[in-house]
Amino acid sequence: MFTGIIQAMGTIGARERRGDDVRLEVAAADLGLADVAVGDSIAVNGVCLTAVRIDDGGFGADVSVETLDRTSLGQLDIGSAVNLEKALTPSTPLGGHLVSGHVDGLGTVEERYQDGRSWRFRFRAPDRLARYIAEKGSICIDGVSLTVNGVDGACFDVNIVPHTMDVTRFGGYRPGQSVNLEVDVIARYLERLMLGDEAATPGAGGITREFLARNGFRAD
């Protein structure tokens, strides 16, 4: 688990194709790896990866086909900047929100403009994730814990203060860029719990009007 508070930025130092998977080497001298052991988790752009090699300058991690398909890690070039966070401990201040490091899908930067001293960003989420994104709720973008300021269909806005622009990848975001999205874990599990016994039915979808009608919900 993580908090969504970025501890350092690193860069992709190397990437090696190993069959269908990829070994990433991440330069992370500023992260402070003295307390990290092989087998520990590190979030890279919001993706929970297992460190398989560590030295003072960085770490290596394997990225599976599933992760390459669902996240933006496969799009990163050597030299690309990445947001980094070590796994939380019982004494870690929970400055953001509980983040699992399990990316739900890819979003797209739609717009960015200055708003006072801050920046306002608009993102488009996949349609299937829109129902989990609520105004003043929490969302994780490339590993950064943020508050949703507004929602319009599958699009949502966040406000980025100057500090966050300086210490994360947000400063380099441009329209059309892909980002990793993780919705609030409570919203994700709540929907599954509401399905009850139907969750065990093959092909069971999410909460639909038909599902609500079968379970006694009346729109009037």
Side-chain angles (χ1 to χ4, degrees):
M1 297 294 289
F2 306 90
T3 70
I5 303 299
I6 302 306
Q7 296 171 324
M9 290 186 68
T11 57
I12 301 299
R15 53 180 299 149
E16 176 187 353
R17 177 66 66 174
R18 297 192 173 189
D20 293 330
D21 298 346
V22 168
R23 168 71 60 87
L24 288 181
E25 295 290 339
V26 182
D30 294 335
L31 184 59
L33 296 169
D35 59 345
V36 178
V38 170
D40 286 351
S41 297
I42 300 176
V44 179
N45 282 356
V47 183
C48 178
L49 297 180
T50 299
V52 297
R53 185 202 61 77
I54 299 172
D55 60 31
D56 292 340
F59 63 95
D62 291 324
V63 185
S64 68
V65 174
E66 168 76 5
T67 302
L68 292 171
D69 288 344
R70 285 185 175 257
T71 75
S72 66
L73 293 190
Q75 303 172 17
L76 298 178
D77 297 320
I78 294 175
S80 295
V82 289
N83 296 326
L84 301 174
E85 182 188 354
K86 294 182 287 188
L88 65 83
T89 68
S91 61
T92 301
L94 190 59
H97 70 281
L98 287 175
V99 174
S100 68
H102 302 158
V103 170
D104 292 295
L106 288 173
T108 306
V109 180
E110 292 280 294
E111 184 182 10
R112 58 172 279 175
Y113 59 90
Q114 199 143 12
D115 187 9
R117 292 181 58 245
S118 300
W119 287 83
R120 184 74 63 133
F121 283 80
R122 168 162 284 207
F123 295 90
R124 178 174 295 277
D127 289 350
R128 63 183 177 79
L129 296 183
R131 61 182 178 269
Y132 303 115
I133 303 172
E135 185 174 349
K136 297 307 175 184
S138 296
I139 193 161
C140 188
I141 300 176
D142 272 351
V144 182
S145 171
L146 294 165
T147 300
V148 177
N149 290 110
V151 178
D152 182 13
C155 291
F156 65 95
D157 298 335
V158 298
N159 188 74
I160 305 298
V161 298
H163 174 75
T164 304
M165 288 288 284
D166 291 341
V167 301
T168 73
R169 283 168 45 89
F170 267 87
Y173 284 169
R174 296 294 182 270
Q177 184 167 345
S178 294
V179 294
N180 295 320
L181 300 179
E182 182 185 331
V183 300
D184 185 16
V185 65
I186 296 175
R188 187 195 303 151
Y189 281 110
L190 179 61
E191 180 183 50
R192 191 70 174 167
L193 285 168
M194 288 180 64
L195 287 173
D197 291 341
E198 291 193 27
T201 302
I207 304 301
T208 63
R209 286 182 176 272
E210 291 76 16
F211 171 85
L212 293 172
R214 289 197 305 273
N215 288 273
F217 176 80
R218 296 181 57 184
D220 57 355

